[in-house]
Amino acid sequence: MHGVEVDAFLADSVQASGGKLHALGIGWRAIVVQGLPARHDRVGIGVMIRTSPAEAGAHRLVLSLLDPGGGAHPFGPDRTSLEATFQAPAGEGTTTLALNLDGLVFDTQGSYAFVLGVDDHETTRLAFRVQTQPEPPAAEVRTGVYL
């Protein structure tokens, strides 16, 4: 796997079209929620896989999510990883993939990480935090006349 390089980023939403990635809300590192458990609308992951001519052919991409304790965090019922196949071009090239995960549920605050692997080799980790938003301070009530 010397000829495979993977770059990836977190975003609110990602689309792949014509060999390019289009993203909204790119580059965040925290999800702030009102309380737990929390269902997040969408997490987008943009993936760019560069391959050498020696790596031409079919490959398997695997995505998993680690929870704050390092265990597998489910994507849904009985699903701890997602898999896709992609075809690397015969010459040097880049394959772009847009992964959008809707409705992920987080039960715990802390550090999480998406782990990407190609053909059973980990290539990239995308770390982020889930944290609750602190309660705003109570409004101060003032009486009297102020100028």
Side-chain angles (χ1 to χ4, degrees):
M1 291 258 320
H2 296 303
V4 176
E5 294 178 23
V6 178
D7 288 322
F9 59 85
L10 295 171
D12 292 337
S13 185
V14 182
Q15 179 183 7
S17 176
K20 296 179 182 180
L21 291 171
H22 307 275
L24 296 172
I26 191 171
W28 53 264
R29 292 284 180 240
I31 295 174
V32 180
V33 298
Q34 294 295 319
L36 295 166
R39 179 178 301 273
H40 195 64
D41 290 338
R42 173 172 280 187
V43 173
I45 302 173
V47 183
M48 296 152 290
I49 305 167
R50 288 183 302 284
T51 53
S52 68
E55 298 294 336
H59 296 274
R60 186 172 62 101
L61 178 77
V62 177
L63 175 70
S64 59
L65 176 57
L66 301 180
D67 66 20
H73 185 82
F75 289 106
D78 302 320
R79 184 145 217 171
T80 57
S81 67
L82 302 173
E83 297 184 18
T85 58
F86 66 94
Q87 192 73 26
E92 281 190 23
T94 301
T95 301
T96 56
L97 300 170
L99 310 173
N100 290 296
L101 308 167
D102 294 339
L104 285 176
V105 175
F106 298 99
D107 296 322
T108 308
Q109 290 191 92
S111 297
Y112 289 77
F114 286 105
V115 179
L116 286 162
V118 175
D119 299 334
D120 299 322
H121 298 284
E122 182 181 320
T123 59
T124 306
R125 284 188 180 225
L126 298 169
F128 66 97
R129 290 192 53 75
V130 172
Q131 60 193 52
T132 56
Q133 184 172 17
E135 291 291 324
E140 185 177 321
V141 177
R142 293 182 179 187
T143 58
V145 176
Y146 299 94
L147 301 176

